[in-house]
Structures are given as C-alpha cells and as structure tokens.
Amino acid sequence: MKGLSICHSSTASSSLPGFIIFFITFCVHKLESARFTVIGPDHPVTAIVGEDIVLPCHLFPRMSAENMEVRWFRSEFTSVVHLYQHGKDEYGQQMPEYHERTELLKAGIMVGNVALGIVNVRPSDEGQYHCFVQDGIFNEEAVLELKVEASGSAPQISVEGYQDGGIRIVCQLAGWYPEPEVLWRDRRGQLLSPSTETKSQDGRGLFEIKSSIIITENSNQNLACSIRNAYFSLEEEPSTFYISDFFFPRMSPWPVVWSVTLVISLVFVSLTLFLLKLRGKHLNTITNVTLDPDTAHPYLVLSEDRKSVSRGDTRQQLRDTPERFDTERWVLGCEGFTRGRHRWEVEVGGGRFWAVGVARESVGRKGGISCSPEGGIWAVERWLGQFRALTSPETPLPLSRAPSRIRVCLDCGRGQVTFIDAGDEAPIFTFPPGSVPGERIRPWLWVGGGSWLRLCP
C-alpha cells in the first residue's frame, strides 16, 4: 500500500507542471485568437425625434461575432439598452424605456458588424452609448454619442394688450428639441431682453417656450422675434415690423390690437418660411457611410478609410467568400437601412465609366447580374458620354454635363430613392415610391476603367 501511495504521488507531481503549461498555452492561444478592436463613429450620430436610427459599431479585424457577447449600455454596465448572448437576444436586463424599441442588426454579424437599431427616437435617448463586445475573457468597447433633434412649430406671435404704458407682444413656439433660443432684436439688430420668458417640456420631452416683450412709444418700436437652433446655430434673417405712435394709448385699445395683429401676421409668414428652410437643411443632413471590403470585386482597390474605391490593373488575391462579387466590378456599403430617411454623397472623378446607387442586401454576388431594379439595383450611370438611369429599359438623362458629386436620398418608408446633383441641387432622377422593396438596402457603387469614386464625409 505504501509503495502504491508513493508511486501515485510521484505521478501526480510529474504531471502537474505539464498541466499548468498546457493551461497557460491554451489561455494565451485563446487570447491571441480573440483579440480585436471595437470601432464606432468618431463623430456624434444625429437622430430626429419620432424616426429611427442605426448606431454603427464593428470589429476590426473583421471576424464573426455570432458566438460573442454584444452589450449596448448607457453610463453603467448594468444600464442595458440591448444584450446579445449565446447566439440570441436577451431582454431580461433591458431598461424598460427601450423595450421593443431596439434591434441588433444581425445581417452583418458574421463579418463583425454589431450595429444597433433604435426605433421611434425620443429626446431621452440622447447621450453616450457603449458598444461592448466580449469573447471568452477578452473584451473591448467603443463609446459613441447620439444627439437628438426635433424641429417644432414656427414661432406664433400675438398681441396680448396694454401693459406698463406699452403694448405687450408675445412670441410662442412648441415641439422643439434641444431647447432653442428665442431672440428679440431692435431695428439695428441689437439683442433685447424679454420682459418675461417661460419654458416647459411636454410629455415627450419637447420644449415649449413663451417669451414676451413690451413696446413703448419711445423705445424699440421696430422689433423682430427669431429662433436659433442650439446644435447648428441657425438663425433666420430678422423680420422687422414697426409700431406707429398712432397705436399707443390715446385711443381705445382694440383698434390697436387688430392693427398690430395684422402687421405681425406678416412676420409670422416670414418665420414660417424660415422654418421650412431650416427643416430643408436638416433633411439634407448627410449619413456617414463606408465601403465593405468583404463585398469588393478583386479588381477594386479600397482606401484605408474605406471611403474611396478605384479600379486596379491586376486582380488581387482575395478569398472568394459568399459575400464577394466575383464577376461584376461592384462594392456595397457597410451600412444597411430598413427604416427612416438617409442621405449620403459620392464624389466622382477620373473616368467615363461608373455608377452610383443602392442595392438590396440579397443582391446576387456570383456571375452576371442585371443592373436594374429587377436585379435588385437602383442607380444612375455614366457610360462613355451618356448619362442614364438604370431602369428596365434604361432611361437616358439629358444632362448638359456629368455631375461631379451626387447626393443619394433613400426613403425606406416610401420605398423611394432620389439622385441630386450636389453641386447645384438640381434633381437628376427619382425611382418612384414603392420601387425599392421593404428589405435591407445598402449603398452600391460600380467602378469602370480609369474611374474612382469617393464617399464624402
């Protein structure tokens, strides 16, 4: 028995160092194979209240995140916006305010895309988000900022009668986020201090502001009310109106009220036009998109920042994956859209063969593919000296010159895509509503010999 015991102890002692070495080697190997960086946008992402937004996030180098933990959270690790574990979404730890409003976009998870979609954006969604990815004991995260905006009603100006020997003028607006500034100016453009100003937020968190000022017979009879957006510092041209001495208290107040209301109505029209202009600028906000190297044809050369693509002289030795185009010289954008309105611009140069547009995610990758809506592509093309829309059959576009910068406007809700010359804002072509199907849509580019295309920041 003693001999057996000694033999057992000796065997255990000799095998223990081997086990430790194996364990350390296994862990080191695991760490080395799992190392990656989590990358998010280097600028704030802007969303409109009531619409949908995608928060970009991906792994570098590209690898499958299907079996990793993906956790989107706010300021605290336990403040879970969305959690993906063990190959499925877990909602037990999700904050109540995000219930049924988030989606991990899994179409690109096999290549490391772990973007988060948020529907029906609220003002409370504004702030920092952490994109946290863990594989075994290794983890990395990226932090990005979401800004939220709502353009509310145009300022409504009214006369509320006499006060302190003058006329009390009120400027009201509602439905704005973030809190805008209400500005009063005199005829020289100098800022005036309001006599009173009240601010409140409605049930959705949108701001309502009521600002008033008193006009007296001897001061500030030329007056304008304007608004300034807190994010973009946009302010309309001052709309000035004049209150004559005739209106001040030597007569019944009611003619004064009616006369001033008539004058102020003209100001209201001007402010309404400004609001439309402001909203037009917001609708032209550019969505940041990048190119997906895993889809690029081997003859296409992408820049390091994945913003530019050109046609190479030789075929690169790239792995032929199911995602890669093997016949057509095409490349897709990394970002895909299923909801909301999105816009981006493409700079064109260096050749007479190129096309710019969008494609459905399921567009064919192998063999010859129809460059048309039937093939899952909606685009405009330059071929030699001709410019045309890739309808079926193709539609010639009688442009005096080929645009050097094209704006692509995708409206997922309407199923419509529009192309605009970003240089002079002239419309190029619109595929009618309902043309684009209700599935994931991605940016699409075709590059011919001697051409290059660049996604503008």
Side-chain angles (χ1 to χ4, degrees):
M1 292 295 293
K2 186 176 180 181
L4 181 61
S5 175
I6 292 172
C7 181
H8 177 76
S9 300
S10 175
T11 303
S13 300
S14 62
S15 63
L16 184 59
F19 174 78
I20 294 173
I21 293 171
F22 171 78
F23 179 76
I24 293 173
T25 303
F26 174 80
C27 290
V28 170
H29 176 74
K30 180 67 176 175
L31 286 173
E32 289 298 326
S33 63
R35 289 200 177 276
F36 52 80
T37 303
V38 179
I39 299 175
D42 57 2
H43 54 83
V45 179
T46 302
I48 303 172
V49 170
E51 295 194 358
D52 305 339
I53 190 66
V54 172
L55 303 182
C57 186
H58 68 274
L59 306 184
F60 181 84
R62 291 184 170 273
M63 64 180 69
S64 174
E66 188 177 24
N67 296 316
M68 300 182 186
E69 175 182 318
V70 180
R71 179 186 295 255
W72 283 87
F73 65 93
R74 297 297 299 267
S75 56
E76 307 253 337
F77 190 75
T78 54
S79 304
V80 175
V81 177
H82 193 96
L83 178 61
Y84 173 87
Q85 280 181 323
H86 312 302
K88 61 180 181 178
D89 299 304
E90 300 284 355
Y91 298 101
Q93 302 178 44
Q94 187 179 43
M95 291 189 288
E97 56 265 38
Y98 291 98
H99 181 58
E100 295 185 348
R101 294 180 52 230
T102 63
E103 177 188 3
L104 188 71
L105 305 181
K106 302 182 186 67
I109 198 168
M110 297 298 293
V111 291
N113 286 332
V114 290
L116 180 72
I118 303 177
V119 303
N120 190 20
V121 169
R122 305 169 182 174
S124 59
D125 294 334
E126 186 171 71
Q128 283 192 343
Y129 288 76
H130 296 250
C131 175
F132 172 91
V133 182
Q134 180 165 341
D135 184 23
I137 62 173
F138 179 80
N139 63 76
E140 278 284 341
E141 69 176 82
V143 180
L144 59 149
E145 183 179 359
L146 175 63
K147 289 187 175 182
V148 177
E149 186 186 27
S151 297
S153 64
Q156 298 180 11
I157 305 175
S158 59
V159 180
E160 293 199 352
Y162 287 97
Q163 181 179 332
D164 301 330
I167 300 172
R168 185 169 184 258
I169 308 296
V170 175
C171 184
Q172 291 180 278
L173 54 97
W176 286 81
Y177 191 88
E179 179 185 323
E181 293 182 85
V182 177
L183 306 176
W184 293 99
R185 296 185 185 274
D186 63 15
R187 63 182 176 181
R188 295 184 299 275
Q190 297 299 310
L191 288 172
L192 303 173
S193 298
S195 57
T196 62
E197 186 168 279
T198 59
K199 304 174 184 178
S200 61
Q201 288 180 273
D202 62 19
R204 297 192 300 159
L206 304 180
F207 283 94
E208 300 176 354
I209 300 179
K210 182 177 181 180
S211 179
S212 67
I213 196 166
I214 297 173
I215 303 176
T216 62
E217 185 173 2
N218 298 316
S219 66
N220 301 325
Q221 292 175 228
N222 289 275
L223 198 65
C225 173
S226 61
I227 56 176
R228 181 161 58 195
N229 182 287
Y231 280 161
F232 302 106
S233 298
L234 295 174
E235 183 185 348
E236 83 280 13
E237 292 294 324
S239 299
T240 305
F241 60 92
Y242 176 73
I243 304 298
S244 170
D245 292 345
F246 170 76
F247 295 123
F248 289 89
R250 286 181 293 272
M251 57 180 295
S252 169
W254 292 111
V256 176
V257 172
W258 285 109
S259 300
V260 173
T261 300
L262 178 63
V263 174
I264 290 177
S265 296
L266 299 175
V267 179
F268 177 74
V269 171
S270 176
L271 291 173
T272 301
L273 293 174
F274 156 70
L275 182 63
L276 293 174
K277 180 180 179 182
L278 177 63
R279 283 179 172 164
K281 288 182 179 179
H282 184 80
L283 290 176
N284 284 330
T285 300
I286 300 299
T287 301
N288 184 44
V289 294
T290 54
L291 298 174
D292 185 351
D294 291 338
T295 66
H297 186 277
Y299 268 100
L300 299 184
V301 179
L302 273 59
S303 62
E304 189 172 345
D305 62 359
R306 296 188 295 170
K307 287 285 189 178
S308 297
V309 58
S310 58
R311 176 80 170 269
D313 295 326
T314 58
R315 185 184 181 95
Q316 302 174 82
Q317 298 300 315
L318 300 176
R319 194 160 55 97
D320 185 17
T321 62
E323 293 80 21
R324 190 178 306 283
F325 295 109
D326 68 350
T327 302
E328 307 293 350
R329 274 59 168 174
W330 299 348
V331 62
L332 295 178
C334 288
E335 294 74 17
F337 309 108
T338 58
R339 303 185 185 93
R341 297 193 297 270
H342 307 274
R343 291 164 173 78
W344 60 91
E345 293 183 1
V346 182
E347 185 179 358
V348 180
R352 298 182 296 168
F353 303 89
W354 49 261
V356 171
V358 299
R360 61 190 180 200
E361 176 115 68
S362 60
V363 66
R365 306 293 209 274
K366 309 302 179 185
I369 306 159
S370 173
C371 220
S372 67
E374 288 75 12
I377 293 169
W378 296 262
V380 292
E381 173 191 69
R382 186 181 186 190
W383 183 268
L384 294 174
Q386 297 181 345
F387 199 66
R388 54 199 182 187
L390 297 180
T391 53
S392 184
E394 295 164 347
T395 302
L397 300 175
L399 302 181
S400 58
R401 60 175 179 80
S404 60
R405 189 161 171 153
I406 297 175
R407 182 177 304 141
V408 184
C409 306
L410 173 64
D411 189 335
C412 295
R414 290 171 57 86
Q416 175 178 297
V417 61
T418 298
F419 299 89
I420 296 172
D421 187 335
D424 58 12
E425 300 295 326
I428 296 173
F429 186 81
T430 296
F431 287 85
S435 301
V436 183
E439 66 175 270
R440 191 173 179 82
I441 300 299
R442 297 169 66 175
W444 171 92
L445 301 176
W446 168 65
V447 185
S451 299
W452 58 264
L453 301 173
R454 177 168 178 78
L455 297 169
C456 302

